[in-house]
Amino acid sequence: MDQFTDVKGLFGCDVFNDSVMQERLPKKVYRELKRTIEEGKDLSPETADVVAHEMKEWAIEKGATHYSHWFQPLTGVTAEKHDAFITAPMENGKVLLSFSGKELIKGEPDASSFPSGGLRATFEARGYTTWDCTSPAFVRHDAAGATLCIPTAFCSYTGEALDQKTPLLRSMQAINTQALRLIRLLGNTTSKKVIPCVGAEQEYFLVDIKHWEQRKDLIYTGRTLFGAMPPKGQEMDDHYLGTIRQRVSAYMREVNEECWKLGVPAKTQHNEAAPGQHELAPIYEPVNLAADHNQMMMRILKKVASRHGLRCLLHEKPFAGVNGSGKHNNWSLSTDDGINLLEPGAAPHDNVQFLLILACILKAVDEHAELLRESAADVGNDNRLGGNEAPPAIISVFVGEQLEDVLEQLYSTGTATRSIGRTKMNTGVDALPDFMKDVTDRNRTSPFAFTGNKFEFRMPGARDSISFCNVVLNTIVADAFREACDVLEASEDIDLAVHDLIKKYVTEHRRIVFSGNGYAPEWPEEAKRRGLPNLPSMVDAIPALTTEKTIRLFESFKVFTKAELESRSEIQYDIYSKVINIEARTMIDMAAKQFIPAAVKYTTVLADSINSVKAAGAFETPVQLELLRRTSDDLKDLNSAMKHLSALVERLPSCREGRERAEFCRTLLVPAMESLRRPVDRLEMIVDKEMWPMPSYGDMIFEV
Ligand code: ADP
Ligand code: MG
């Protein structure tokens, strides 16, 4: 690798971005495409042909042989099908390289193997991918050579969304319309667009590939299903923001370079709380781009890891007993002329627009707390939420000291007249420069925290797409804005109406504001008293997708139809059951083929030792005997827990697919899996390490 990284030269070099388009497209074509990108105007077939041709020429210069419609079906990962640019051989046996406007705009992958939750019968397999020109095409280099990737949305023949992107784009339209309406009412005449912007902090673990290869649980499920805690965990807090090891630094450098080439604005990197855990945060962007870029980033994290003899784990909870990995979703609303609508300014009590928007967000989050919780539901996240590290499964909002004070004034008198100002930082050291402190400290335990000029939704899991949680955020806030606009438009005195509305919303939704410790055991009780929902498992959360309230919300904005929501809920139940089933079967496999034989071998060694000690004439072998007894006891527990789990797994197909099967997994399989884990983890602490068939937690998280 070169000594120096030319960041400016590298950034976006593999992206068909605005400057490339401007340079390569005829002016008229460029202008038409820009109108499509910015205003959603139709693209004529002739223009599409010219764009496709130029895109192909550019890609071929970068070495591309294939193009691919790149999309995000409901599998949780991205999908792609590659086509070479070659056309049928001509008479002279040569081929041309071509790429038409039609091929750019529309693809038709056989959709029958993607989850559709009953939206499509297999015989109605047609699904279309459609170019999302608001997210630029890019050339990806990997073992397949170079491929021109075209970000697309994926819909069924009848127009139902089969992917993550379509509803996201729909929700962006919804919030744009309602937010514009709101700021117009409040006097903004200049902004043309309101765009939800997101910066998604990505957490991940790195393990050595040679360890990963020896762990069937990591291979099949992405997380460890067994493993005793090492003598040292994360209690010393010496990993968080600690010096990054050279091997990891080299990895991060390459990750950054790969991200930058694809225009992914990777910015902040550091060690996270758990040993072996790290984070990469990009600069925030419009949410559809942020969602695409997050997918690209996850892929890069994985790809580069294998080049460094590492494996990148994106699972929400790869190791029990240390922190899991989340994906903090920082969300704000920005106008096309650069105004952040969540910026409170120096005197928030006086910033009526900000207060109204804040009040609307409190209302939205309170009214749709179950749905927001659902948007972060993922099988792996059940192991993370509510642990002593990640927000609990209860939605609440942290607003910080300054805004809390403003809200208090509103509750008590209906009017806010002052804001707590910023104070000087005093370190007590003369040589250190003075600076102004932030008006509020952080609260790391809140699932939804106001952090100065954005909200940080901390629930989503590391592996999940950020699309759905933002679909929910955009739509519930659009709904609150719409209601506010309806009231304001019907009022005679708008200033008074705004004032009343702020007071009404903050008072009615006071229960959602919580600034205490979300990890404290008292909080669930307090939340219950407040009537806030607590949905610990994904299975508890899924019904929120299909309540009347949710259906009404999404249908009114044309973000989802009822059928689409029902299909998504079916898919979620199905994913839950499948993942738990795979985990259970992996545990049985490991127990039968690895742990039982290892424990048996150890008992043989102990028995042999006892016999030889006896043969040598010594009659007491208390330690060996004790070990033999303990090993045999645990072995017995292990064996019966394994048999119990196997019996449950065999019953699974007799449960009806959907909710019934998911409930069965949640209430019977998950506890049975925990019961199998316990004796194995005990045995790991007894059996000779040489005989233990796989690397330990200590080996994995401390040896990268
Ligand atoms: P933290 O200290 O919580 O890590 P940072 O300032 O580093 O906060 O930001 C974390 C993420 O939030 C980054 O991805 C950043 O780009 C994003 N972010 C910053 N400002 C905004 C904003 N106005 N809207 C959305 N995301 C933002
Ligand atoms: Mg951060």
Side-chain angles (χ1 to χ4, degrees):
M1 199 188 292
D2 297 343
Q3 193 65 26
F4 301 107
T5 306
D6 169 18
V7 182
K8 278 187 176 172
L10 221 53
F11 195 86
C13 70
D14 286 332
V15 184
F16 196 71
N17 55 22
D18 193 65
S19 55
V20 178
M21 292 195 282
Q22 215 166 24
E23 196 184 296
R24 302 188 73 121
L25 297 174
K27 272 211 173 59
K28 191 166 151 278
V29 171
Y30 172 75
R31 274 201 303 271
E32 196 188 323
L33 180 59
K34 275 299 258 193
R35 270 202 300 276
T36 306
I37 293 172
E38 280 164 12
E39 299 160 36
K41 296 256 169 9
D42 273 352
L43 200 64
S44 71
E46 299 77 45
T47 305
D49 272 332
V50 179
V51 176
H53 176 79
E54 286 303 326
M55 213 185 251
K56 176 204 72 186
E57 293 294 306
W58 168 82
I60 287 172
E61 284 169 29
K62 305 227 155 260
T65 54
H66 288 68
Y67 71 92
S68 165
H69 275 204
W70 181 70
F71 58 105
Q72 296 161 35
L74 299 172
T75 49
V77 290
T78 59
E80 52 200 66
K81 181 176 138 200
H82 299 197
D83 278 289
F85 287 120
I86 59 165
T87 54
M90 295 181 296
E91 270 173 23
N92 61 6
K94 300 221 174 293
V95 291
L96 287 175
L97 301 184
S98 83
F99 184 48
S100 69
K102 240 201 244 146
E103 289 166 311
L104 165 64
I105 287 177
K106 190 190 102 187
E108 196 194 327
D110 177 356
S112 58
S113 295
F114 290 111
S116 81
L119 269 185
R120 230 174 345 83
T122 355
F123 58 90
E124 294 165 340
R126 264 183 213 280
Y128 294 110
T129 49
T130 322
W131 181 31
D132 167 20
C133 61
T134 59
S135 179
F138 55 93
V139 167
R140 198 179 56 212
H141 299 268
D142 56 21
T147 308
L148 169 64
C149 297
I150 299 148
T152 58
F154 180 46
C155 293
S156 75
Y157 185 69
T158 40
E160 282 118 351
L162 297 174
D163 69 344
Q164 311 267 17
K165 173 170 273 207
T166 309
L168 183 61
L169 295 173
R170 293 175 184 162
S171 75
M172 290 173 76
Q173 285 178 15
I175 197 157
N176 173 45
T177 310
Q178 300 306 326
L180 269 183
R181 214 178 133 202
L182 189 76
I183 60 175
R184 287 280 184 273
L185 280 167
L186 297 172
N188 177 323
T189 52
T190 45
S191 303
K192 293 201 203 69
K193 210 170 174 180
V194 175
I195 309 137
C197 290
V198 163
E201 305 167 42
Q202 178 71 51
E203 292 178 342
Y204 60 93
F205 277 84
L206 290 175
V207 294
D208 196 297
I209 196 136
K210 70 173 193 287
H211 291 145
W212 182 85
E213 281 166 349
Q214 294 174 63
R215 300 269 329 196
K216 294 281 185 243
D217 44 6
L218 286 181
I219 292 173
Y220 293 132
T221 74
R223 72 171 175 119
T224 54
L225 300 166
F226 301 96
M229 269 308 281
K232 181 181 175 196
Q234 65 188 53
E235 59 277 67
M236 298 302 289
D237 294 321
D238 50 356
H239 190 255
Y240 186 62
L241 303 189
T243 308
I244 303 172
R245 292 188 200 180
Q246 287 300 293
R247 184 174 181 195
V248 176
S249 293
Y251 163 79
M252 287 179 168
R253 175 183 176 177
E254 221 174 301
V255 166
N256 286 328
E257 289 176 358
E258 295 264 328
C259 283
W260 293 337
K261 280 189 207 163
L262 293 177
V264 179
K267 166 107 175 147
T268 308
Q269 63 199 22
H270 58 80
N271 286 353
E272 257 302 327
Q277 191 185 28
H278 310 279
E279 179 182 305
L280 176 57
I283 298 171
Y284 65 100
E285 302 175 280
V287 60
N288 62 322
L289 262 186
D292 283 358
H293 282 167
N294 181 249
Q295 292 287 354
M296 286 151 71
M297 184 193 273
M298 288 195 284
R299 186 180 170 120
I300 289 169
L301 284 168
K302 290 207 161 263
K303 188 175 80 176
V304 174
S306 56
R307 283 191 217 139
H308 288 254
L310 297 165
R311 196 77 198 188
C312 172
L313 308 179
L314 294 173
H315 195 282
E316 295 85 352
K317 191 78 176 178
F319 304 99
V322 296
N323 275 18
S325 300
K327 180 138 59 194
H328 300 171
N329 187 82
N330 294 273
W331 179 91
S332 67
L333 290 172
S334 170
T335 63
D336 60 322
D337 47 355
I339 306 166
N340 178 358
L341 299 182
L342 297 188
E343 177 59 59
H349 69 280
D350 232 4
N351 186 343
V352 172
Q353 176 173 298
F354 171 77
L355 286 182
L356 181 57
I357 288 174
L358 175 69
C360 285
I361 293 174
L362 294 179
K363 172 176 151 62
V365 173
D366 188 26
E367 284 181 352
H368 297 284
E370 288 103 336
L371 181 61
L372 194 57
R373 155 69 182 98
E374 204 295 326
S375 77
D378 207 6
V379 196
N381 225 12
D382 276 9
N383 302 299
R384 169 178 168 260
L385 296 179
N388 205 20
E389 41 156 298
I394 307 162
I395 296 274
S396 64
V397 183
F398 172 81
V399 293
E401 198 185 339
Q402 187 191 44
L403 293 181
E404 185 121 26
D405 175 60
V406 171
L407 291 178
E408 279 300 333
Q409 297 173 52
L410 288 168
Y411 303 143
S412 54
T413 65
T415 314
T417 53
R418 59 188 148 56
S419 300
I420 298 172
R422 281 152 54 108
T423 51
K424 222 186 232 175
M425 180 74 194
N426 182 359
T427 57
V429 180
D430 293 340
L432 292 178
D434 286 339
F435 61 89
M436 300 306 277
K437 283 200 282 197
D438 290 304
V439 284
T440 182
D441 203 357
R442 290 166 180 277
N443 181 329
R444 290 287 186 203
T445 69
S446 175
F448 198 74
F450 186 71
T451 48
N453 59 4
K454 61 188 191 288
F455 276 99
E456 182 175 9
F457 183 36
R458 300 174 68 248
M459 262 189 190
R463 199 165 47 159
D464 213 359
S465 156
I466 56 166
S467 287
F468 188 58
C469 68
N470 287 298
V471 170
V472 170
L473 274 175
N474 295 343
T475 316
I476 62 177
V477 174
D479 188 43
F481 285 173
R482 178 172 58 186
E483 192 189 299
C485 291
D486 289 347
V487 173
L488 297 181
E489 281 169 4
S491 74
E492 313 219 308
D493 181 340
I494 186 140
D495 290 343
L496 190 64
V498 170
H499 175 270
D500 290 349
L501 214 49
I502 294 172
K503 180 171 177 225
K504 178 173 185 289
Y505 288 170
V506 299
T507 314
E508 282 175 6
H509 301 287
R510 190 174 174 171
R511 64 171 187 171
I512 198 75
V513 178
F514 176 64
S515 24
N517 178 4
Y519 298 171
E522 302 83 42
W523 170 230
E525 281 164 39
E526 162 72 13
K528 199 169 168 191
R529 273 195 296 278
R530 296 185 183 198
L532 298 177
N534 183 0
L535 305 170
S537 156
M538 173 172 174
V539 183
D540 307 322
I542 298 172
L545 282 176
T546 49
T547 58
E548 254 176 56
K549 185 165 69 173
T550 301
I551 294 171
R552 213 180 320 120
L553 167 80
F554 282 129
E555 291 210 319
S556 72
F557 284 109
K558 299 192 164 35
V559 170
F560 284 119
T561 61
K562 184 171 182 227
E564 285 172 337
L565 287 166
E566 281 167 350
S567 89
R568 268 156 218 253
S569 121
E570 283 308 302
I571 291 171
Q572 295 266 291
Y573 283 128
D574 192 41
I575 287 176
Y576 185 86
S577 307
K578 282 180 177 157
V579 169
I580 299 294
N581 189 21
I582 291 170
E583 289 187 347
R585 289 203 313 237
T586 303
M587 289 185 90
I588 295 166
D589 193 82
M590 291 168 78
K593 296 186 194 153
Q594 297 185 283
F595 299 126
I596 292 181
V600 168
K601 209 181 285 168
Y602 189 52
T603 54
T604 316
V605 170
L606 289 170
D608 286 351
S609 157
I610 292 167
N611 287 338
S612 44
V613 172
K614 278 190 181 154
F619 293 102
E620 278 193 55
T621 51
V623 175
Q624 288 94 323
L625 262 180
E626 190 196 324
L627 284 174
L628 183 57
R629 226 174 270 130
R630 279 170 58 197
T631 309
S632 305
D633 286 350
D634 287 336
L635 188 55
K636 202 165 121 221
D637 288 352
L638 191 176
N639 194 45
S640 62
M642 184 185 75
K643 286 202 296 211
H644 177 56
L645 184 60
S646 304
L648 288 173
V649 167
E650 269 167 38
R651 274 171 56 195
L652 197 63
S654 64
C655 299
R656 233 182 357 171
E657 275 183 49
R659 186 168 180 171
E660 188 186 311
R661 193 174 289 185
E663 293 276 5
F664 179 89
C665 290
R666 156 97 174 124
T667 52
L668 293 170
L669 282 189
V670 170
M673 286 159 61
E674 282 159 13
S675 303
L676 175 52
R677 177 176 183 145
R678 278 190 295 268
V680 175
D681 290 359
R682 282 200 301 271
L683 279 168
E684 187 182 344
M685 297 302 287
I686 305 176
V687 174
D688 182 352
K689 185 164 171 62
E690 298 292 315
M691 289 183 192
W692 198 248
M694 61 196 68
S696 68
Y697 268 30
D699 300 334
M700 284 184 286
I701 60 180
F702 286 102
E703 284 185 21
V704 164

